[in-house]
Amino acid sequence: MGELSYVVALDQGTTSSRSIVFDSNQQVVGVAQREFTQFFPQEGWVEHDPREIWATQYGTMNEAVAASGIDPARIAAIGITNQRETTIIWDRATGEPIYDAIVWQCRRTASIVDELTRQPGMTEHIKAATGLLPDAYFSATKIRWILDHVEGARQRAEAGELAFGTVDSWLVWNLTGGAVHVTDVTNASRTMLYDIHLLDWDDEILRALDIPRALLPEVRSNSEIYGYANFMGRKIPVAGMAGDQQAALFGQGCFAAGDAKSTYGTGCFLLMNTGDKVVDSQNGLLSTIACQIDGKTNYALEGSVFVGGSVIQWLRDGLGIISSSAESGQRAASVPDTGGVYLVPAFTGLGAPWWDMYARGTIVGITRGTTADHIIRAADEAIAYQVADLVEAMEKDTGTPLTALRVDGGATRDAFLMQFQSDILGKQVLRPRILETTALGAAYLAGLATGVWGSLDEISHLWSLGKQFDPAMGRDEAVRLTDGWHRAVERSRGWAQAS
Ligand code: ADP
């Protein structure tokens, strides 16, 4: 290979904007990160200021490139990955948002979803067309809310004066100085407005929510030149984008049907590439688009757990029984087992495969001998049990056993957790050398479109193992422990009362 070239990945997350400069050997040569403000205007509402999203993202891009010390002339492309579903509407003429970004976590539109799903056949239609279960989480009802609550918005949307976008669209718009209004198929597939089979916006859902098509971005593939950013006096192609979980799937080299990865961050997300087939889950998983490159679309099954690594933060900040996240694994390993204790971290209900919004956190099996270390271990183990439940749901839906699980995210630093995950699954757990797989996925997508990397095949050879965890526990023991977990889950379910 000749001289190194560079790709800048913009990783726009829920709490911070990050930029990472990778060289063509996928070494990280510069990183910058900035947090931004979370607004909670009412109970259950979450907003971001789109201008602050852009300012922090652009700021970190400048800082990361400066920190890397590279010549900006050697930057081949910019790739984007982003918090999904978060909804922004702006004025096409001025580029000014007409309202704050309504964040994926925001529950304000629950009643719009209830109204929508009261229409006969609508729930089935949404599931069939979009692969999603109707929920306030997705963008569709958030758009509807803004159009209903900002004066004159609907008329202006109909007249084509306004633009809707998820965060990817917003960043491309700003990077290109307002020249380009696009999204990619993975982000589109999280709006609950996009037909993942026909690869087009769905008129029936648009009509039901009274959302004009004129508002919507053009939907493009994950790897192509969308436009050019003016950066440090140069024009740099913006050439790849994908929602965060899909970018991580790509960054893990999961290009073939049956490949899966699990991300252990605040929550946990398991995605499996299902090839060119949309699998209709019978076990509470969502169908979504994994990736589209050169006209070829791959789909994925997705399962999510609400409380993953954040149960460790709760041990630290809520209970105060550990002083740092890193302590959790050591304390868990300091006892041979939990002494029969299970902790179900259903703090905000349970996601897949249970979908119980009335479940609440539970600790069961406490005896006189229970210590803080047992509780810590039970919390750590709970992360693994929840992911194991997702793996089981996925195997039932696809009829194919997972061979090995590729993992990433902050909590994969916990070696105890990774070993326990392997033990409970009875499968290999593979932790890559680069844990920044989300940003790496965005970089790969942008680099593929601009010749930094030649092919998927070349990229799949770049994946390299950091550490492998092999199952060491007998299957009988794993099954016995998992049965106990399921009994504990039963205790947590339906606890909160509907108000
Ligand atoms: P996100 O992208 O969702 O912010 P990250 O991938 O940065 O999440 O991971 C953060 C999560 O990982 C936190 O919830 C934290 O508790 C957990 N975590 C970080 N380091 C460790 C560790 N050494 N052991 C266990 N959990 C950890």
Side-chain angles (χ1 to χ4, degrees):
M1 209 193 263
E3 271 197 333
L4 287 175
S5 53
Y6 300 91
V7 179
V8 182
L10 309 185
D11 180 358
Q12 207 302 305
T14 308
T15 57
S16 72
S17 298
R18 249 156 31 109
S19 297
I20 301 186
V21 184
F22 290 97
D23 70 19
S24 38
N25 290 331
Q26 53 161 10
Q27 298 295 329
V28 173
V29 296
V31 185
Q33 177 161 359
R34 287 196 206 169
E35 293 196 354
F36 54 86
T37 320
Q38 309 287 316
F39 298 98
F40 306 104
Q42 290 188 31
E43 164 116 31
W45 291 30
V46 190
E47 295 179 3
H48 295 154
D49 178 349
R51 283 162 301 211
E52 198 184 357
I53 288 181
W54 166 243
T56 51
Q57 193 62 65
Y58 193 68
T60 60
M61 182 170 156
N62 279 280
E63 287 160 20
V65 171
S68 71
I70 62 165
D71 175 359
R74 304 256 294 279
I75 302 175
I78 297 169
I80 297 173
T81 180
N82 57 289
Q83 53 166 322
R84 303 178 301 176
E85 298 102 9
T86 296
T87 298
I88 306 172
I89 298 182
W90 65 93
D91 182 321
R92 290 180 190 270
T94 64
E96 282 298 307
I98 65 163
Y99 194 79
D100 268 352
I102 302 187
V103 179
W104 57 273
Q105 298 150 318
C106 186
R107 305 301 307 172
R108 83 182 64 185
T109 58
S111 63
I112 304 179
V113 174
D114 289 342
E115 214 174 286
L116 183 66
T117 54
R118 272 200 289 274
Q119 299 188 21
M122 189 50 79
T123 302
E124 295 71 23
H125 175 74
I126 289 173
K127 181 150 193 267
T130 69
L132 307 174
L133 302 166
D135 198 278
Y137 173 27
F138 307 110
S139 319
T141 57
K142 301 180 195 294
I143 301 175
R144 164 68 185 248
W145 191 95
I146 297 176
L147 295 182
D148 282 349
H149 289 82
V150 176
E151 211 185 311
R154 184 162 280 101
Q155 293 89 307
R156 297 184 62 209
E158 275 158 12
E161 293 171 19
L162 302 180
F164 151 76
T166 37
V167 172
D168 53 309
S169 304
W170 173 243
L171 294 179
V172 178
W173 173 274
N174 282 287
L175 283 166
T176 60
V180 177
H181 182 214
V182 296
T183 187
D184 74 89
V185 286
T186 67
N187 276 294
S189 75
R190 315 298 296 186
T191 58
M192 209 174 86
L193 294 173
Y194 191 67
D195 186 318
I196 61 174
H197 311 266
L198 301 176
L199 303 175
D200 192 10
W201 301 111
D202 182 281
D203 285 319
E204 195 175 331
I205 308 172
L206 289 173
R207 213 176 308 117
L209 285 169
D210 200 7
I211 297 173
R213 252 191 194 250
L215 194 60
L216 305 176
E218 186 188 338
V219 184
R220 304 277 284 269
S221 77
N222 293 104
S223 181
E224 61 175 281
I225 296 176
Y226 312 106
Y228 292 84
N230 271 319
F231 183 70
M232 295 186 171
R234 314 198 157 261
K235 281 195 170 316
I236 302 176
V238 184
M241 58 185 173
D244 52 11
Q245 297 308 322
Q246 283 91 341
L249 188 69
F250 201 79
Q252 287 272 28
C254 296
F255 305 142
D259 291 348
K261 68 88 198 175
S262 181
T263 298
Y264 299 73
T266 308
C268 295
F269 291 86
L270 179 67
L271 270 79
M272 181 193 270
N273 190 324
T274 59
D276 57 7
K277 278 205 297 290
V278 181
V279 176
D280 179 19
S281 177
Q282 305 303 314
N283 296 285
L285 306 174
L286 305 175
S287 306
T288 201
I289 295 179
C291 190
Q292 186 188 68
I293 296 180
D294 292 336
K296 189 171 173 299
T297 307
N298 270 41
Y299 294 92
L301 271 177
E302 171 171 331
S304 45
V305 161
F306 300 146
V307 175
S310 58
V311 71
I312 305 298
Q313 286 163 307
W314 176 74
L315 295 178
R316 186 191 61 195
D317 308 333
L319 283 190
I321 56 175
I322 54 174
S323 53
S324 70
S325 306
E327 205 186 314
S328 63
Q330 295 150 25
R331 295 279 296 278
S334 74
V335 283
D337 52 42
T338 67
V341 173
Y342 287 92
L343 188 155
V344 184
F347 302 155
T348 54
L350 287 169
W354 314 105
W355 293 111
D356 183 346
M357 56 182 163
Y358 300 111
R360 286 297 177 272
T362 310
I363 304 178
V364 292
I366 299 172
T367 64
R368 185 64 184 78
T370 300
T371 66
D373 290 341
H374 292 118
I375 306 270
I376 295 165
R377 183 167 174 133
D380 230 357
E381 290 187 356
I383 302 174
Y385 287 126
Q386 292 184 98
V387 171
D389 285 339
L390 296 180
V391 169
E392 193 192 334
M394 224 160 250
E395 290 182 335
K396 278 191 195 152
D397 277 336
T398 58
T400 331
L402 203 68
T403 44
L405 186 65
R406 294 187 174 192
V407 300
D408 53 60
T412 60
R413 282 192 284 258
D414 181 346
F416 166 81
L417 170 63
M418 294 298 100
Q419 182 57 49
F420 190 75
Q421 185 72 81
S422 173
D423 287 346
I424 282 298
L425 286 172
K427 297 178 196 295
Q428 275 181 352
V429 167
L430 307 175
R431 189 173 68 186
R433 187 173 58 80
I434 298 185
L435 287 178
E436 301 292 354
T437 52
T438 308
L440 185 62
Y444 281 162
L445 290 165
L448 261 181
T450 50
V452 175
W453 295 291
S455 64
L456 285 184
D457 198 42
E458 182 184 338
I459 290 179
S460 60
H461 288 104
L462 294 174
W463 188 90
S464 70
L465 183 69
K467 189 164 168 49
Q468 171 176 329
F469 299 86
D470 292 306
M473 183 185 281
R475 281 319 288 156
D476 288 353
E477 176 69 352
V479 168
R480 188 184 68 77
L481 288 172
T482 305
D483 285 348
W485 161 254
H486 288 146
R487 292 202 298 133
V489 168
E490 279 313 312
R491 299 296 187 283
S492 79
R493 295 186 67 180
W495 178 259
Q497 309 278 338
S499 57

